[in-house]
Amino acid sequence: MASYAFSTTFLFIISAVICYTFIDIETSNQESVTMLHSGSLLKLYISKLVYSWLFSVPLALYAVLFPALFQKFDRNPSFEELCMSLIYHVSSSWLGVALACWFSSKFIRSRVMSFLLLSVVVVVTLSVQGIENILPEGLENMILLLPPLNSTVNVLVDYDAATLYSKLNVIGASLLYGVISAALFLFMLHRRKLDSSYS
């Protein structure tokens, strides 16, 4: 299961890139037409987030099944381990999508700057364990603002020793963080649209 920790992390990064690319793939004129067809800006961006996530599912299936089917491990993983690994991959890809949407051109006009900022946040997310150890007391809770990818990686590395609660808890934390992040993104997007319509 420790081998899946790497592919889970890699899929998190790939999903963030997919969402970052897909969410601003249309020009302003194209987006206006698509918004008319979808009915509202919120429906359009919900669709973009969901599609970005769904695009990562085949990658998750490949990352989980390929090494198992072609016996790339020291032992064959059980059916339960394969299912849990797939869920970890899919939930981590949702984290990547929910993170990357904040770097849309709707919030950061410069694509170069937004990509650099997204890259920094991804690196910080991957380095959260080391950062947590050097943070002064009282600032440790700031780690909660970052995607809980590290918790998933830790469970995968020590899967046999992990309790059922911790195995399920990291899935719930990833999905909940993603839902809250995406909901806040959509709320802020809606507010900006209202502000621009009144100005």
Side-chain angles (χ1 to χ4, degrees):
M1 293 294 281
S3 300
Y4 283 132
F6 172 77
S7 56
T8 299
T9 303
F10 188 66
L11 187 60
F12 166 78
I13 298 170
I14 293 296
S15 300
V17 173
I18 289 173
C19 179
Y20 176 81
T21 305
F22 186 70
I23 206 161
D24 287 325
I25 200 168
E26 298 172 303
T27 64
S28 299
N29 291 335
Q30 287 174 325
E31 187 176 277
S32 299
V33 174
T34 309
M35 189 172 68
L36 287 174
H37 285 291
S38 62
S40 72
L41 186 68
L42 285 181
K43 285 182 182 177
L44 173 61
Y45 274 84
I46 289 171
S47 300
K48 286 186 175 186
L49 293 178
V50 172
Y51 283 133
S52 296
W53 188 26
L54 291 179
F55 286 155
S56 70
V57 172
L59 298 176
L61 284 168
Y62 177 82
V64 171
L65 296 179
F66 177 80
L69 291 175
F70 290 92
Q71 300 179 345
K72 300 294 183 180
F73 297 132
D74 294 334
R75 65 171 180 84
N76 288 329
S78 66
F79 180 73
E80 179 238 337
E81 289 173 331
L82 287 175
C83 289
M84 291 297 286
S85 296
L86 180 61
I87 295 172
Y88 289 138
H89 280 75
V90 171
S91 60
S92 296
S93 68
W94 173 237
L95 278 181
V97 169
L99 174 66
C101 65
W102 285 97
F103 299 88
S104 161
S105 61
K106 290 286 187 291
F107 297 123
I108 306 171
R109 291 293 178 190
S110 169
R111 296 298 283 164
V112 173
M113 182 60 69
S114 63
F115 184 76
L116 289 174
L117 288 172
L118 175 60
S119 301
V120 169
V121 174
V122 167
V123 169
V124 170
T125 300
L126 300 180
S127 311
V128 70
Q129 185 97 44
I131 293 171
E132 188 176 13
N133 293 335
I134 62 172
L135 278 177
E137 194 174 340
L139 295 179
E140 295 154 345
N141 289 336
M142 290 180 65
I143 296 299
L144 297 175
L145 296 174
L146 295 170
L149 178 68
N150 190 60
S151 302
T152 301
V153 171
N154 288 339
V155 166
L156 283 167
V157 170
D158 295 318
Y159 187 81
D160 292 331
T163 63
L164 179 61
Y165 171 78
S166 62
K167 291 175 183 178
L168 297 177
N169 185 54
V170 295
I171 296 170
S174 296
L175 294 176
L176 181 62
Y177 182 96
V179 167
I180 292 173
S181 177
L184 286 173
F185 166 75
L186 294 169
F187 174 75
M188 293 296 295
L189 199 64
H190 185 61
R191 285 292 300 271
R192 284 177 66 91
K193 180 176 179 285
L194 288 178
D195 291 343
S196 62
S197 64
Y198 285 127
S199 60

